[in-house]
Amino acid sequence: MTLEELRKLRGQMKTEVEKRNTEGKTIQIIVGMGTCGIASGAKETLNAFLKEIEEKGLADHVMLRQTGCMGLCANEPTVEVIVPDMPKVIYGNVNAKVAKEIIEKHIIGKQLLDKLIIDRPAADIMSK
Amino acid sequence: MAYSHYILVCGGTACESSSSKAILENLKKEAKALGVENEVQIVQTGCFGFCEKGPIVKVLPEDSFYVNVTPDDAHEIIAEQIVKGREVPRLLYDKNKKKNEEVSDIPFYKKQVRIVLRNCGVINPESIEEYIARDGYMALEKALFEMTQEQIIDEIKKAGLRGRGGAGFPTGMKWEAGYKAAGDIKYVVCNADEGDPGAYMNRSTIEGDPHSILEAMTICGKTIGSHMGFIYIRAEYPLAVHRLEKAIKQSHEKGLLGKNILGSGFDFDIEIRLGAGAFVCGEETALLRSIEGKRGMPTPKPPFPAQAGLWGKPTIINNVETWANIPIILTKGADWFSKIGDADSKGTKVFALTGKIENSGLVEVPMGTTLREIIFEIGGGIKNGKKFKGVQTGGPSGGIISDKELDVPIDYGALIRMGSMMGSGGMIVMDEDDCVVDIAKFYMEFCVDESCGKCSPCRIGTRQMYTILDQISRGNGTMQDLQKLEDIGNAMKACSLCALGQSAPNPTLSTLKKFRDEYLAHVQDKKCPSGKCKHLLTFFITEKCIGCGACARQCPANCISGEKKTRHVIDQSKCLKCGACERTCHFHAIEKR
């Protein structure tokens, strides 16, 4: 192996291992994967996000997490997106197409997709 | 298809012996059975350091830290977390874990700074690609293409790295001596002959990150102008040897070892030599003789190995942990490294925390951390709420540090001033039930066995000290014996050929100084305050006895007698002090006095 090959290999492997690292990742995408979410296709949504993150080379900054039911079962699959300096929002009815849109507009373009935002549950329910 | 989850299963020796292999297999099986094998990558990593609660399984990206996992839990982890995205609270270390809380918030990890163990528990140690991804072999690039030999030595000197094998000799100076030594054949040696009872940080470092050692040795080869390296490792560490062999093979395949490394024109190769488990072979000159195929016995210094080592050629020999520090010093720079630690010692130190401690395991802290922080904050305090008595650092070569010294920052100098030494980093915690005479005797017995016999201060001294300690523990000690222990100990320190004999009296001398009252209790009152020295105990049946006769039936010496339903008596002249009666009695009627 030559020096160039080593550097190339490091570059390739870095993104691969970086995905495991949670440090330094400021953007979070949290997919609701309760029974309701999975039944409405959260798995495809999650896969779509994974694909988009990889294609757009966002793995260094974006952390993709899963969580349980967010309590908004009527609008599953739900996805929470946390970007620094932007309001935390929950999107409803996120299918693979919407996932792509979230990545392009919200994560890269820093624009909220206002038509898809669902209000957070009332504060008194949240604090419980 | 990218993975949505990563499961890291600890593959260190401690976890592997508690069935982490079966866990790994079951996880893979379950993932396949539930059709998610393409969504989760299951990786075997090196030691997480939290051996007390092993086997450990960590799931990313949720950062779920599962402890005491059994192979049967595999189904639940896959079915719940991978398929449904829910953690398994039953297995979490912190049952009250809030969402998004990181593993680094666990008190055990909070105070730690992981430099040597940077890749342990993060990468798959059997994959060179993962090591490369974590900036592996980047230091080698620098060393081969950007830096001159002098620059590398300067950088290491500036970093202030001191040998982690125990004595703390400045690594940069050692390398400089090797570089300046004349001769076209030179050698690089890694000392992985870790033999202190209770110490296993070198083993875990190699098991978790073998490539860091290979990279560092190659850098040293380039620096001093050597083309051959040896790793001397104990045959008792099969997993570490296996991972090293695999790592060496991978490095050859990638052209990172062998001829013309990375096209730089520099050749370097590494071979493994297995030690047969003699403690003295951890001493550098004895180790070199052993590699040469001779009997492992130390030779006088000077000449130091850097001038005349292996087969009389200049040889740089460093400990595993020292090597593991080298690549990161070159990638991150001496300035970064020298900011960690205190004035006396730079960087971090890995300790193997064992004994009567709540969280035993591997702990890496910056130099200058106090023992109190290590034992009570990271270690979680003494087991079963007992009282702290002392901590033994540096194995048979170190001394015992008492509770009065808990707040002294730990570095090379401070430990020497406390009559102990850094040693390789074993830390054995003792509570009120441990008897210092018994401990001093244990370590001296170890040294009697392990003394190579070449020089008389060590060969005769250890034997004499052991005999005296044994007499004291039997209640036959005199006040002159205490003086004799000190005299022989000091003579051994001054006259022994190698560090084994020079440091063998340390446990005895330090306890004589710090726990003198316990020695006096053994010698003058013929009592063992912690009830460990059985010859000084008297078993006594109190009035709580209901006369059931259970103890009499258990007694191997048949020395308990008494009528049914009346209080029994022990014939003290025949009693073996085995304690069988005490363990048998349901009424706590038998007391040790």
Side-chain angles (χ1 to χ4, degrees):
Chain A
M1 193 159 67
T2 64
L3 185 58
E4 286 68 42
E5 282 164 357
L6 173 67
R7 288 190 174 151
K8 212 173 122 207
L9 178 66
R10 179 176 300 125
Q12 279 168 4
M13 288 306 297
K14 213 164 197 156
T15 35
E16 196 51 42
V17 173
E18 260 312 301
K19 279 184 219 149
R20 288 185 214 161
N21 196 355
T22 48
E23 263 170 59
K25 292 189 183 174
T26 46
I27 300 172
Q28 290 187 49
I29 301 176
I30 304 165
V31 183
M33 299 269 285
T35 310
C36 41
I38 295 173
S40 339
K43 203 91 210 184
E44 282 88 69
T45 310
L46 183 82
N47 290 343
F49 273 118
L50 276 171
K51 196 171 134 246
E52 286 299 317
I53 290 172
E54 191 160 68
E55 278 177 10
K56 304 266 181 344
L58 295 168
D60 285 353
H61 315 288
V62 179
M63 183 170 14
L64 187 61
R65 287 174 181 274
Q66 302 178 14
T67 187
C69 175
M70 292 189 208
L72 299 159
C73 312
N75 304 300
E76 293 288 355
T78 46
V79 173
E80 185 173 5
V81 181
I82 305 172
V83 178
D85 302 326
M86 285 179 79
K88 288 182 191 177
V89 291
I90 297 179
Y91 291 113
N93 305 313
V94 183
N95 55 26
K97 204 173 127 242
V98 180
K100 197 167 174 224
E101 231 179 299
I102 291 175
I103 293 280
E104 283 166 359
K105 296 205 178 125
H106 189 147
I107 308 288
I108 299 175
K110 305 280 185 258
Q111 292 277 319
L112 297 181
L113 283 68
D114 38 4
K115 285 204 180 108
L116 292 164
I117 294 177
I118 300 175
D119 214 6
R120 300 186 141 266
D124 55 335
I125 303 175
M126 290 291 281
S127 64
K128 192 73 202 283
Chain B
M1 179 59 219
Y3 297 110
S4 69
H5 279 90
Y6 300 89
I7 304 184
L8 309 181
V9 183
C10 178
T13 297
C15 283
E16 200 156 272
S17 59
S18 40
S19 70
S20 80
K21 247 207 165 107
I23 296 173
L24 186 79
E25 277 159 23
N26 280 7
L27 282 171
K28 286 189 175 155
K29 227 169 24 207
E30 288 293 339
K32 204 156 189 179
L34 295 170
V36 290
E37 77 260 38
N38 292 327
E39 291 165 34
V40 55
Q41 187 182 16
I42 301 167
V43 186
Q44 186 185 30
T45 65
C47 184
F48 284 95
F50 202 20
C51 312
E52 176 75 26
K53 300 272 190 284
I56 306 283
V57 172
K58 196 170 149 185
V59 184
L60 298 173
E62 283 90 352
D63 234 338
S64 320
F65 197 80
Y66 295 137
V67 293
N68 295 328
V69 182
T70 66
D72 296 337
D73 296 330
H75 175 76
E76 203 172 335
I77 293 176
I78 299 282
E80 281 293 304
Q81 188 149 15
I82 310 305
V83 178
K84 296 184 193 148
R86 287 195 290 244
E87 290 185 314
V88 186
R90 181 173 65 81
L91 297 171
L92 282 175
Y93 168 71
D94 182 1
K95 303 269 187 294
N96 309 317
K97 179 180 176 230
K98 289 185 280 301
K99 250 194 235 162
N100 299 352
E101 193 180 46
E102 308 268 328
V103 169
S104 45
D105 288 335
I106 295 179
F108 180 74
Y109 286 116
K110 216 172 189 169
K111 287 236 159 177
Q112 296 198 43
V113 176
R114 302 201 139 207
I115 294 177
V116 172
L117 303 174
R118 60 192 178 274
N119 288 330
C120 290
V122 179
I123 63 166
N124 177 353
E126 300 194 7
S127 156
I128 187 171
E129 284 85 3
E130 293 197 7
Y131 177 70
I132 290 175
R134 299 266 301 171
D135 288 340
Y137 290 105
M138 201 184 239
L140 181 64
E141 278 180 28
K142 266 190 163 173
L144 288 179
F145 298 100
E146 292 165 28
M147 297 171 86
T148 64
Q149 291 161 300
E150 291 88 353
Q151 278 172 334
I152 299 173
I153 291 170
D154 278 349
E155 195 73 10
I156 294 185
K157 269 182 160 174
K158 237 171 59 198
L161 177 66
R162 296 174 66 173
R164 296 289 192 256
F169 188 80
T171 308
M173 278 169 69
K174 197 187 252 185
W175 286 27
E176 190 174 36
Y179 165 63
K180 286 188 175 154
D184 33 336
I185 300 178
K186 296 181 184 177
Y187 295 103
V188 176
V189 176
C190 170
N191 183 347
D193 191 71
E194 183 178 45
D196 290 0
Y200 59 100
M201 49 273 137
N202 291 171
R203 188 192 72 207
S204 294
T205 308
I206 294 179
E207 284 172 3
D209 195 10
H211 282 285
S212 65
I213 310 296
L214 305 186
E215 182 180 3
M217 289 177 72
T218 315
I219 292 169
C220 179
K222 144 89 202 252
T223 311
I224 64 163
S226 158
H227 302 289
M228 188 67 217
F230 292 98
I231 300 175
Y232 188 87
I233 183 167
R234 300 163 67 93
E236 291 97 320
Y237 285 178
L239 185 63
V241 173
H242 165 77
R243 298 225 164 120
L244 272 178
E245 282 170 348
K246 199 152 184 179
I248 291 176
K249 196 165 153 259
Q250 289 169 340
S251 296
H252 271 287
E253 283 163 6
K254 292 258 183 278
L256 292 161
L257 268 183
K259 295 255 176 264
N260 194 13
I261 294 173
L262 293 176
S264 65
F266 173 69
D267 307 336
F268 193 75
D269 212 339
I270 295 176
E271 281 181 20
I272 298 174
R273 288 287 179 274
L274 295 186
F279 182 63
V280 73
C281 287
E283 199 281 334
E284 53 184 15
T285 56
L287 186 153
L288 295 176
R289 295 300 86 77
S290 176
I291 293 182
E292 289 169 359
K294 296 185 185 135
R295 182 170 168 180
M297 289 198 296
T299 45
K301 290 189 278 191
F304 289 94
Q307 274 104 36
L310 214 45
W311 292 289
K313 307 289 182 200
T315 303
I316 294 301
I317 172 165
N318 281 130
N319 169 268
V320 170
E321 202 180 322
T322 318
W323 288 121
N325 274 300
I326 299 284
I328 199 151
I329 290 178
L330 290 197
T331 31
K332 292 213 178 179
D335 292 334
W336 169 82
F337 189 82
S338 60
K339 281 198 189 87
I340 303 162
D342 64 6
D344 175 83
S345 316
K346 303 297 177 199
T348 58
K349 180 77 192 84
V350 186
F351 292 105
L353 202 53
T354 53
K356 309 275 178 66
I357 184 114
E358 199 58 51
N359 301 330
S360 59
L362 277 192
V363 172
E364 182 171 354
V365 288
M367 293 281 187
T369 306
T370 64
L371 272 176
R372 188 182 298 281
E373 288 172 287
I374 297 174
I375 293 167
F376 290 94
E377 291 180 31
I378 298 172
I382 309 301
K383 257 203 154 99
N384 304 325
K386 297 258 183 175
K387 208 172 141 260
F388 172 82
K389 179 178 235 164
V391 56
Q392 160 85 17
T393 66
S397 315
I400 292 176
I401 295 167
S402 71
D403 57 343
K404 293 185 196 74
E405 295 155 317
L406 273 177
D407 290 311
V408 180
I410 297 299
D411 55 40
Y412 289 98
L415 282 170
I416 296 282
R417 284 192 293 280
M418 289 189 274
S420 182
M421 68 184 287
M422 186 71 80
S424 50
M427 215 176 241
I428 301 172
V429 179
M430 288 167 261
D431 67 4
E432 52 194 324
D433 292 341
D434 290 310
C435 164
V436 292
V437 177
D438 189 58
I439 288 159
K441 193 175 108 179
F442 166 79
Y443 283 115
M444 196 51 74
E445 189 182 7
F446 181 86
C447 291
V448 170
D449 287 344
E450 295 295 344
S451 171
C452 76
K454 186 172 182 180
C455 74
S456 34
C458 174
R459 182 185 66 237
I460 302 172
T462 49
R463 167 61 70 188
Q464 289 306 321
M465 285 183 81
Y466 173 73
T467 311
I468 296 173
L469 285 169
D470 191 45
Q471 287 303 319
I472 293 176
S473 75
R474 288 169 190 274
N476 301 332
T478 61
M479 286 307 283
Q480 284 90 334
D481 281 341
L482 299 187
Q483 186 57 45
K484 247 192 238 168
L485 279 178
E486 279 175 12
D487 290 346
I488 301 174
N490 288 328
M492 285 171 66
K493 276 186 134 172
C495 309
S496 294
L497 177 56
C498 80
L500 197 167
Q502 285 159 13
S503 57
N506 278 346
T508 311
L509 293 180
S510 67
T511 47
L512 259 177
K513 208 158 113 199
K514 292 171 196 171
F515 298 92
R516 201 169 185 88
D517 48 331
E518 275 193 45
Y519 278 87
L520 293 178
H522 282 76
V523 171
Q524 292 176 329
D525 313 334
K526 311 290 177 202
K527 286 263 175 268
C528 176
S530 27
K532 261 272 145 92
C533 300
K534 62 176 188 177
H535 294 279
L536 299 181
L537 290 179
T538 320
F539 286 88
F540 185 79
I541 302 181
T542 64
E543 62 277 8
K544 282 188 198 160
C545 176
I546 60 153
C548 69
C551 56
R553 284 192 295 278
Q554 284 296 321
C555 178
N558 283 327
C559 68
I560 302 179
S561 56
E563 288 292 313
K564 256 195 181 153
K565 296 196 179 170
T566 58
R567 185 171 156 188
H568 283 46
V569 201
I570 299 175
D571 179 355
Q572 298 297 343
S573 64
K574 285 195 207 152
C575 176
L576 302 170
K577 332 261 172 146
C578 66
C581 50
E582 190 199 10
R583 285 192 296 277
T584 311
C585 184
H586 291 299
F587 308 97
H588 306 292
I590 297 176
E591 271 182 10
K592 277 192 285 196
R593 291 187 181 172

